[in-house]
Amino acid sequence: MAGPQRSSTSVTHRPHARERLIGGMAALVLVALIWLGSNQLANFDSALIGYAVGIVALTYAVVMRYARWLRMPSTGRYWRRGWQLTTSWSSFRTLPGLLPRAIAGQLLLQGFIRRRGWVRWIGHQCLFWGVIGATLITFPLVFGWLAFKLEPGTQEMYRMWVFGFPTITFDSTSFLGWSLFHALNYTAVLVIIGCAIFLWRRFRDRAAIAGQRFGYDMVPLLMLIVISVTGLLLTVSASLFHGSYYDFLVVIHMAAVVLSLVFIPFGKFFHVVQRPASVGIQMYAELNGREGRRPCAKCGEPLAPDLFVQDLQSTLQDLGQDYRLDGASMPAGHLTELCPRCKRVARAEGYFAHDGSSFAR
């Protein structure tokens, strides 16, 4: 049964305006944090303004789309339920190790991918840690939250500044100093390895070939390779060739980075932003699993936890889908209260009641 129709154009557009407002507020908050964290732009490098603009645009688009994603009845309900269970003292008392296990399994170690194959898991791990590492390094540098300044009276000693506060000093010619200045090279190598594995699968795995789309599956991998390779070439140019073609490589690298940042909210990599919600989903499943399963309303076989059935019915109601049952042979009031076998029987009885003794007219 379809829900009530809304003919008012203002009502239809109002949620999108609200989401744009939320995205705009997030972007403004980031701009304010850039100003504060860079010591009122004293540590902000104007040469990185293109990256900063791209990240602010990324923040606006990601928050706006995430807010729209949470407006979906199923997503919003399970997202709220996941936070409720995550912050619940009774949940922690029942399973104290559930949250760390969910974070490690769903986000960090990605055991669900390892079960699909070791090569695929290695590719995901290289890509995941490479991108996360590059993000944790690049964003603070671009915002001016992280800066390296030469110590007065020295030629090789640098001090690291974090949010405008001085921290450690290090010798730029030491292994530590070289690694700090070239940390992005390590992440670039990881990203290239991960992308190479996935490109190999895209050309060799028949299942991947059958379902892949060039713009959705191939372009993000190619853009990551361009970013990583040009980043490595910048180091090679500065270290071995006295800056030859450095200006050209900088433009190519910046263009690839900014285009990729703009593409993230509307492409395949948006699932990286959605992935943390899986922690709440796992907690939801495990905590509900300990409560016991509601029996099927007809045959008595274990079906699902009460909370899951209630949330499913509420979600279907929000979507305007009516699965209530009528008939003396069915003690259940809703199709979701039946096991799969009894659902098939209920549908068959419905066909029989509608068409008589035969399914054919």
Side-chain angles (χ1 to χ4, degrees), residues 23-24 26-28 30-31 34 49-65 143 258 261-266:
L28 289 176
L30 178 60
V31 171
I34 292 174
I49 185 67
Y51 299 103
V53 171
I55 296 172
V56 172
L58 167 71
T59 302
Y60 168 79
V62 164
V63 174
M64 180 185 66
R65 188 179 176 193
F143 298 157
V258 173
L261 291 175
V262 174
F263 180 77
I264 285 175
F266 311 103

Side-chain angles (χ1 to χ4, degrees), residues 18-345:
R18 183 170 64 247
E19 294 150 9
R20 288 193 291 268
L21 177 62
I22 294 173
M25 292 176 60
L28 289 176
V29 169
L30 178 60
V31 171
L33 291 175
I34 292 174
W35 186 80
L36 291 173
S38 61
N39 193 18
Q40 301 180 10
L41 301 183
N43 294 330
F44 185 83
D45 189 350
S46 60
L48 304 178
I49 185 67
Y51 299 103
V53 171
I55 296 172
V56 172
L58 167 71
T59 302
Y60 168 79
V62 164
V63 174
M64 180 185 66
R65 188 179 176 193
Y66 204 89
R68 185 173 301 175
W69 181 61
L70 291 180
R71 282 189 60 246
M72 299 170 60
S74 58
T75 305
R77 176 165 284 104
Y78 290 121
W79 189 82
R80 292 190 297 271
R81 189 73 73 185
W83 275 109
Q84 176 186 344
L85 295 174
T86 301
T87 58
S88 170
W89 170 248
S90 61
S91 300
F92 178 78
R93 187 174 62 250
T94 303
L95 290 174
L98 177 56
L99 180 59
R101 189 170 73 252
I103 293 175
Q106 294 293 328
L107 295 182
L108 303 181
L109 300 180
Q110 303 172 355
F112 63 97
I113 297 177
R114 187 173 63 248
R115 291 190 289 270
R116 304 175 188 173
W118 279 96
V119 175
R120 190 173 183 177
W121 179 76
I122 292 173
H124 268 279
Q125 285 289 286
C126 290
L127 202 56
F128 173 78
W129 289 110
V131 172
I132 292 297
T135 301
L136 293 177
I137 297 169
T138 303
F139 282 25
L141 284 173
V142 169
F143 298 157
W145 298 348
L146 180 64
F148 301 95
K149 296 183 179 181
L150 188 66
E151 284 287 273
T154 67
Q155 295 182 348
E156 298 175 348
M157 296 298 296
Y158 281 80
R159 182 177 295 275
M160 180 189 300
W161 293 72
V162 180
F163 292 102
F165 295 98
T167 59
I168 63 172
T169 59
F170 59 90
D171 187 347
S172 60
T173 61
S174 65
F175 177 75
L176 174 62
W178 192 94
S179 297
L180 288 174
F181 281 138
H182 297 86
L184 287 174
N185 292 334
Y186 296 137
T187 62
V189 172
L190 287 175
V191 170
I192 291 174
I193 294 173
C195 289
I197 292 175
F198 286 118
L199 286 175
W200 176 81
R201 289 190 68 252
R202 293 290 170 190
F203 285 110
R204 296 290 298 272
D205 191 308
R206 292 185 178 181
I209 294 173
Q212 72 184 1
R213 290 173 288 172
F214 179 77
Y216 188 76
D217 296 299
M218 299 294 287
V219 169
L221 294 175
L222 296 176
M223 292 298 292
L224 286 176
I225 290 178
V226 171
I227 292 171
S228 301
V229 170
T230 53
L232 291 174
L233 289 178
L234 287 172
T235 300
V236 172
S237 173
S239 302
L240 302 179
F241 298 103
H242 308 289
S244 298
Y245 303 105
Y246 192 90
D247 294 338
F248 172 75
L249 291 171
V250 163
V251 173
I252 299 297
H253 183 74
M254 181 181 294
V257 170
V258 173
L259 288 175
S260 298
L261 291 175
V262 174
F263 180 77
I264 285 175
F266 311 103
K268 184 174 185 177
F269 286 146
F270 186 69
H271 77 274
V272 176
V273 184
Q274 296 170 308
R275 189 67 209 171
S278 63
V279 173
I281 297 297
Q282 180 175 339
M283 297 187 65
Y284 179 93
E286 292 199 28
L287 288 169
N288 279 292
R290 293 177 61 88
E291 296 178 359
R293 294 178 175 270
R294 173 193 289 193
C296 172
K298 184 179 183 182
C299 67
E301 290 293 324
L303 178 61
D306 282 332
L307 183 60
F308 177 84
V309 175
Q310 294 170 11
D311 286 340
L312 180 58
Q313 292 177 357
S314 300
T315 301
L316 292 173
Q317 183 178 359
D318 292 341
L319 293 171
Q321 300 183 22
D322 185 15
Y323 291 96
R324 287 175 295 180
L325 297 172
D326 296 320
S329 64
M330 283 294 167
H334 202 277
L335 192 65
T336 57
E337 299 174 12
L338 301 176
C339 67
R341 179 180 178 277
C342 293
K343 287 178 184 176
R344 293 192 293 268
V345 173

